Amino acid sequence: ADKLFFQPRDLYAESRFNGDLYNQCILNGTYTADKYVTDEGTLADTVGLGASDYIPITGGSLYKYVLTDASGVARSEAGCFYDSNKVKVVAIRELTVIDNTIFVPENVAFVRFTIGLTQATGSAYNYFKRLDALQQNSVLKGMKIAVLGDSITFGHGLENQDQRYSNILARMSGATVLNYGVSGSKMSKIAGDEIPSFVDRVSQIDKTCDKVVIFGGTNDYWHNKTAIGFRTMTNPDHLCGAVNTLITYLENNGFTNKDIVFVIPTLQSYSDGNSFEDRGNHFGTFVDFRNAIIRTCGYRSIPVIDLFTCGKIDILSNPSLKDYYTTDGLHLNFRGQYIVAKAIYDFFQSNTF
C-alpha cells in the first residue's frame, strides 16, 4: 500500500522545441555570427559561435535549460539576463541552479544566449524553456491541489513565495496549487498549543480541490509533545490518531485514496548541529515517527512520498548538503523546495490510478 519516492523524470523528453527560446533563435536566424555573450553582458569576438538577439522573457518565473557546447560540455559563457532597458542584470551561470532549473529575477525582461553555429538546424540537447511550456504532458494540468503543511510548506527562509514547492509545482504541472502552510504547526492537536494544528485547519481546505498533499511531522517530532500511538488510533493528540483524523475528514468530504498523499520530511538538523536523533525526543526517534505515518497511511490505503529515505537531501551523512539544500539545516531553500515539488509531480505522473 506504500507508494515511496519516485525518481525524477525528464520533463523535456517530448516536444523539446515547443516553447524553446534557444532553438527558436537558431531556427529563426535571430543571432549574430562569430560572437558570444560574455558574463558581463557584452558581446565578444569568436569563431564558430553566435550571440542571440535580445529575447523577451518573463521575470519572476522558473525556466529549465541545458546550454552546452557541441561536445555536450557546459558552456561557461552561456548568456545573460537584462532589464527592460537592456542593461545586464545577471549572468545565467551566476544564478542558483537545481536540476537545470533557475528562478529568473523579477526585474528581468530579456535574455541573450551564446549558441553553437554547428547547430543551425536545431540542437538535440540544448534548450531554454519556461517550466509551464510543457504542461501539456502533465496529468495534473487544470486541476486544483491543496498542500497542507508547516513552515516548510509556508516557505520560511525563502527569498520570495515563488520559490515555495507549491508555486514550483504549479509551474511544473499547470495546476492551481493552494498553500495551507502555517509555521510551527503540528499534525497532532495538543492541548495548550497556540498554533492551529493540521487537524484544526484541514476544514479550511477548498473542497473543490482534486488532490490534497499533506506534508508534516517535523514539529510533531521536534517539539517533543506528540506521542506516536498506533495505526488504528483516532484521538488527534497522538501522531497516528492525527493522521487518521485527517484522512477521515478528507474521505468524509469526497476525497479518496486516489486524491490524497502524505509526504515524509527530509533528513534534517538544526543550525546548532543537533540532528533528528540528537534531539532526545522521549516518544521515539524520527525514524519511529516516519514509520508510524507510513504504517497508518498503509492501514488506510493512502500513498506516501518518502523524502526521508530518497537519498537526495542526506545532510546527516553528507553535511556539505546542509547549505546546498537548506537555509538552516531544517528549512528548505529553493533547491530543496524544488526537490519536493519534483517528487510530488513525479508521484502523480507515475501514479495515475
Side-chain angles (χ1 to χ4, degrees):
D2 302 337
K3 303 289 179 65
L4 301 183
F5 182 84
F6 286 81
Q7 293 300 318
R9 296 174 55 197
D10 181 4
L11 297 179
Y12 293 84
E14 301 176 12
S15 305
R16 179 159 284 184
F17 284 13
N18 184 20
D20 178 2
L21 301 181
Y22 181 91
N23 278 291
Q24 285 178 4
C25 168
I26 296 174
L27 298 175
N28 294 335
T30 52
Y31 58 83
T32 302
D34 296 327
K35 297 284 186 181
Y36 71 93
V37 183
T38 71
D39 282 349
E40 288 70 42
T42 58
L43 300 188
D45 294 332
T46 188
V47 176
L49 297 177
S52 76
D53 294 349
Y54 291 96
I55 302 171
I57 196 172
T58 304
S61 296
L62 289 162
Y63 281 79
K64 183 144 183 156
Y65 79 98
V66 169
L67 298 174
T68 67
D69 60 25
S71 62
V73 177
R75 182 177 291 120
S76 57
E77 288 84 10
C80 285
F81 295 113
Y82 305 82
D83 64 17
S84 58
N85 295 316
K86 298 181 179 177
V87 175
K88 179 218 167 180
V89 174
V90 65
I92 291 176
R93 67 170 176 168
E94 293 172 348
L95 292 176
T96 298
V97 180
I98 175 66
D99 195 23
N100 297 111
T101 302
I102 52 178
F103 179 79
V104 176
E106 295 279 353
N107 60 332
V108 166
F110 297 97
V111 64
R112 298 189 84 172
F113 306 117
T114 298
I115 62 174
L117 298 186
T118 58
Q119 303 163 0
T121 58
S123 169
Y125 47 83
N126 282 352
Y127 57 87
F128 191 96
K129 294 182 178 182
R130 189 171 169 180
L131 264 182
D132 54 12
L134 284 195
Q135 290 175 0
Q136 67 266 28
N137 295 328
S138 170
V139 300
L140 298 172
K141 185 177 181 181
M143 291 188 181
K144 188 186 295 183
I145 303 171
V147 294
L148 179 64
D150 49 36
S151 56
I152 296 173
T153 298
F154 176 77
H156 177 84
L158 296 174
E159 295 176 4
N160 55 67
Q161 290 188 343
D162 278 329
Q163 295 185 349
R164 301 189 300 186
Y165 74 84
S166 55
N167 298 54
I168 298 170
L169 178 62
R171 286 288 190 202
M172 259 180 210
S173 65
T176 298
V177 183
L178 307 179
N179 188 305
Y180 295 93
V182 172
S183 295
S185 62
K186 306 177 187 67
M187 287 200 284
S188 55
K189 181 178 175 66
I190 304 298
D193 273 1
E194 296 182 359
I195 300 174
S197 69
F198 289 27
V199 169
D200 294 318
R201 296 173 5 247
V202 67
S203 61
Q204 298 174 6
I205 289 177
D206 185 339
K207 295 177 181 61
T208 65
C209 286
D210 301 285
K211 307 289 183 185
V212 177
V213 177
I214 300 175
F215 184 7
T218 294
N219 294 316
D220 296 271
Y221 178 78
W222 284 101
H223 290 183
N224 208 357
K225 294 181 178 180
T226 304
I228 292 176
F230 48 91
R231 66 178 187 173
T232 59
M233 291 184 73
T234 57
N235 44 319
D237 59 345
H238 286 61
L239 180 65
C240 294
V243 172
N244 274 316
T245 300
L246 292 168
I247 294 170
T248 297
Y249 176 86
L250 292 171
E251 289 181 341
N252 288 343
N253 283 276
F255 297 96
T256 72
N257 64 348
K258 299 178 181 180
D259 309 320
I260 307 165
V261 62
F262 279 70
V263 180
I264 306 292
T266 62
L267 287 158
Q268 302 170 354
S269 69
Y270 268 150
S271 55
D272 60 8
N274 288 332
S275 71
F276 270 131
E277 307 314 337
D278 294 330
R279 193 63 175 174
N281 188 303
H282 60 267
F283 293 111
T285 67
F286 189 82
V287 173
D288 296 328
F289 278 64
R290 165 196 174 266
N291 292 342
I293 296 172
I294 292 175
R295 284 196 304 269
T296 306
C297 287
Y299 170 69
R300 300 293 296 269
S301 298
I302 299 296
V304 173
I305 299 172
D306 188 7
L307 297 179
F308 189 78
T309 58
C310 76
K312 282 186 173 291
I313 311 181
D314 187 356
I315 65 174
L316 300 187
S317 62
N318 188 354
S320 65
L321 295 178
K322 177 179 173 180
D323 292 335
Y324 191 78
Y325 284 117
T326 76
T327 60
D328 55 9
L330 190 157
H331 297 98
L332 300 174
N333 61 19
F334 168 60
R335 294 186 183 97
Q337 293 273 339
Y338 182 91
I339 294 293
V340 177
K342 191 65 163 58
I344 296 170
Y345 178 90
D346 285 349
F347 170 81
F348 284 115
Q349 288 293 104
S350 302
N351 292 272
T352 55
F353 299 96

